[in-house]
Amino acid sequence: MARKTLTITLFMSEILYEVMNKTHLTGRSRETGNNHEEVANMKANEDEENINQILRSIGDAFATLKTKLAEYLAETGTTANNIQLEQNSELKVALSMPTNYNDSTREALSAAMHKFIVNKTISEWFTITNKSDAADYVSLAAENVEAIREAVNKRTRPSRTAPTE
């Protein structure tokens, strides 16, 4: 069966920015209380101890994403590693899609994948720093998986060819 390859590239700089921005905004919304240390710990940042955890969580989220997309992955190989991602990494996924895959959903797919990684990463961050907010991001990541499934399953409508005489 004929297939086409769809390559999605997610940029670490965009993922890191969104993780840090969302945790900053969440922390700011909590600043009305008196526990400034707890609020500070909610905010992910580029301090060495924080960035290592964030990068590890992004790597875990990316691996989970690839598991969820396994039936579409156009990857081969028999080796893997657990080396932590770098801040300047690009996360690439090559998907083997049916020829009738609706290409117009590729941006929605890319956005849902980005959001999944961000929300999964933030859920891990808040599991460590503020458990009460972690469940919200787990729920958002589950919604992102549904958006991913919807996007990969969109197909173009067949067109009738004119009969030849």
Side-chain angles (χ1 to χ4, degrees):
M1 177 171 32
R3 311 277 296 171
K4 59 183 172 183
T5 301
L6 172 65
T7 303
I8 306 268
T9 303
L10 303 174
F11 295 93
M12 186 66 79
S13 59
E14 295 299 313
I15 293 170
L16 284 170
Y17 170 78
E18 191 162 353
V19 167
M20 288 186 277
N21 191 51
K22 282 187 173 186
T23 58
H24 175 78
L25 292 173
T26 302
R28 259 185 58 192
S29 72
R30 306 291 194 280
E31 285 180 347
T32 57
N34 293 327
N35 194 345
H36 299 291
E37 182 180 350
E38 182 181 330
V39 170
N41 289 335
M42 291 178 68
K43 300 177 184 182
N45 60 49
E46 291 181 289
D47 291 349
E48 187 175 349
E49 66 184 83
N50 293 337
I51 199 68
N52 286 334
Q53 179 59 49
I54 295 166
L55 291 171
R56 182 66 69 193
S57 294
I58 290 171
D60 292 346
F62 186 56
T64 300
L65 176 66
K66 289 173 74 174
T67 300
K68 296 196 180 295
L69 290 168
E71 67 184 282
Y72 297 102
L73 287 180
E75 294 184 3
T76 59
T78 58
T79 63
N81 65 54
N82 66 341
I83 295 175
Q84 182 173 296
L85 297 171
E86 298 291 328
Q87 283 183 268
N88 60 352
S89 299
E90 290 181 355
L91 306 177
K92 290 192 179 205
V93 178
L95 303 172
S96 177
M97 304 300 287
T99 56
N100 67 339
Y101 168 72
N102 189 333
D103 292 325
S104 66
T105 65
R106 69 187 183 281
E107 296 300 327
L109 178 57
S110 174
M113 291 167 65
H114 170 93
K115 288 178 184 179
F116 173 80
I117 291 173
V118 167
N119 289 324
K120 185 92 168 100
T121 300
I122 293 173
S123 74
E124 282 194 23
W125 180 259
F126 282 152
T127 296
I128 296 167
T129 63
N130 184 352
K131 290 185 188 309
S132 63
D133 284 338
D136 293 338
Y137 288 94
V138 169
S139 177
L140 289 170
E143 290 175 20
N144 301 140
V145 169
E146 289 306 312
I148 290 166
R149 285 190 183 126
E150 184 177 345
V152 297
N153 287 303
K154 291 292 183 185
R155 303 294 181 258
T156 56
R157 185 177 180 152
S159 58
R160 176 173 273 165
T161 56
T164 57
E165 294 181 23

